Amino acid sequence: MNKYTVLYNPYSGNCHGEIYAHNLDIILKDCELDYVSMPTIKDFKKFLKNRKEIIICGGDGTINYFISHTIDIKYSNRIFYYSTGTGNDFHNDVGNKVEIPYEINKYLEKLPVVTVKGQEYATINGVGFGLDGWCCAEGNIEKQKTGKPINYAKIALRGLRGAFKPRNAHVCVDGKEFDFKKVWMASCMNGRYFGGGMKIAPNQDRLNMERKVSVVIVSGASRLKLLALFPRIFKGTHIKNKAVTIIKGHNVDIYYDEPCALQIDGEVILGVKKYSVKSK
């Protein structure tokens, strides 16, 4: 009988993480399952040492929690993923169509490292700085008020109609410097998706041999033009618009002239003016 350690996030899936994780009782009914709430783990290195096969249950934030807490650990475990979150951008990018756990070890190697306010984070999908970070911050506020699932596309439309103010940005990618005015977002992507299904970097390959990330800048456009462009993000055809600039590289520094919310795999950091990304 196969034995798996199931790591779940009780806060994922609108705080139904543990309930959703137990769907595995049916999917893997012939296996031995040991359920562990991830936030209760104090020492990941010690915890992983004697566990061969692990299933991570949750969404993008749950994977981010795991990789950020194991960023300096070389583990030999087989790591599987069972998508039970709300946004599920990682699953949209790499997941199989059958809703069963699948191995993700190859996606956890050589991940980009984000530095914000002196703290380092690994990222599985990418960083959203600007409108996307603002949407995640607003979504958190709505979730606390209502407890209901969040429609990030609806929040984004509210931002484009006037609630979000664009910034100016200075961008440095592998030593090359760029200045952008009226920046709506300055994202750095390891995968293709963010925001619960928005294909912001359609040509990004997270397993590309050079391990480059895609810096996506949306700038210069009026609110009206962006409202017309917005639906195209879901199909990835927005990159044909002149308001969109994509630069690929390994070392990225992005500066805003005014603080803004930033999100890393959906996890929000407020009041950010600068972030850096290094990809191996």
Side-chain angles (χ1 to χ4, degrees):
M1 178 182 291
N2 289 346
K3 180 178 180 179
Y4 297 96
T5 297
V6 180
L7 298 183
Y8 67 89
N9 176 6
Y11 307 107
S12 72
N14 293 304
C15 293
H16 292 92
E18 183 175 4
I19 295 172
Y20 294 157
H22 275 279
N23 289 337
L24 293 174
D25 292 337
I26 299 172
I27 297 171
L28 301 175
K29 61 182 179 181
D30 296 325
C31 300
E32 182 180 344
L33 305 178
D34 177 23
Y35 289 87
V36 179
S37 175
M38 204 180 302
T40 66
I41 301 173
K42 304 300 181 184
D43 186 335
F44 271 85
K45 186 174 183 179
K46 182 178 179 181
F47 179 86
L48 294 172
K49 189 174 181 180
N50 298 315
R51 299 170 187 265
K52 293 183 179 180
E53 297 189 313
I54 292 171
I55 302 175
I56 298 174
C57 292
D60 300 306
T62 302
I63 301 180
N64 179 271
Y65 186 93
F66 179 81
I67 62 176
S68 291
H69 282 78
T70 59
I71 194 170
D72 295 321
I73 299 174
K74 292 183 178 180
Y75 46 80
S76 58
N77 319 75
R78 291 184 72 194
I79 310 294
F80 297 82
Y81 180 56
Y82 177 54
S83 177
T84 62
T86 50
N88 299 321
D89 288 312
F90 175 76
H91 182 63
N92 287 337
D93 200 13
V94 309
N96 49 30
K97 294 182 180 180
V98 181
E99 295 299 322
I100 60 174
Y102 51 91
E103 191 169 347
I104 60 171
N105 286 71
K106 65 182 178 181
Y107 301 115
L108 304 183
E109 298 174 356
K110 299 180 180 180
L111 289 171
V113 175
V114 186
T115 302
V116 184
K117 295 184 176 182
Q119 181 70 40
E120 290 187 346
Y121 307 84
T123 177
I124 194 76
N125 293 322
V127 184
F129 194 28
L131 180 62
D132 181 52
W134 178 85
C135 287
C136 288
E138 290 294 301
N140 285 349
I141 294 171
E142 286 191 16
K143 189 181 296 183
Q144 290 176 356
K145 288 181 178 178
T146 68
K148 297 179 180 179
I150 304 303
N151 186 328
Y152 289 101
K154 186 176 180 180
I155 295 174
L157 288 173
R158 177 158 56 86
L160 289 174
R161 290 186 179 115
F164 176 78
K165 175 187 174 184
R167 275 72 167 164
N168 297 323
H170 180 77
V171 178
C172 181
V173 181
D174 292 345
K176 297 181 180 180
E177 300 192 11
F178 309 86
D179 287 299
F180 296 90
K181 301 292 185 182
K182 200 176 183 180
V183 175
W184 295 93
M185 62 179 68
S187 303
C188 188
M189 300 300 298
N190 180 50
R192 294 180 295 168
Y193 291 89
F194 72 7
M198 298 182 191
K199 205 172 186 179
I200 190 67
N203 296 323
Q204 173 64 13
D205 177 6
R206 62 175 69 239
L207 296 180
N208 71 86
M209 294 298 293
E210 295 180 301
R211 292 292 181 175
K212 289 184 177 181
V213 293
S214 291
V215 182
V216 183
I217 311 293
V218 180
S219 64
S222 67
R223 294 183 186 275
L224 186 61
K225 288 184 178 180
L226 275 182
L227 282 168
L229 178 65
F230 182 72
R232 295 170 58 185
I233 296 177
F234 291 90
K235 294 184 178 180
T237 58
H238 64 288
I239 62 173
K240 298 177 182 179
N241 192 284
K242 64 180 182 180
V244 181
T245 302
I246 298 180
I247 310 164
K248 294 193 176 185
H250 294 99
N251 299 297
V252 179
D253 294 290
I254 296 182
Y255 308 80
Y256 270 10
D257 61 348
E258 294 181 40
C260 191
L262 172 147
Q263 63 87 11
I264 305 172
D265 299 337
E267 301 303 300
V268 177
I269 302 174
L270 299 174
V272 176
K273 290 189 71 174
K274 171 191 174 182
Y275 78 90
S276 301
V277 174
K278 292 188 180 299
S279 182
K280 300 176 183 179

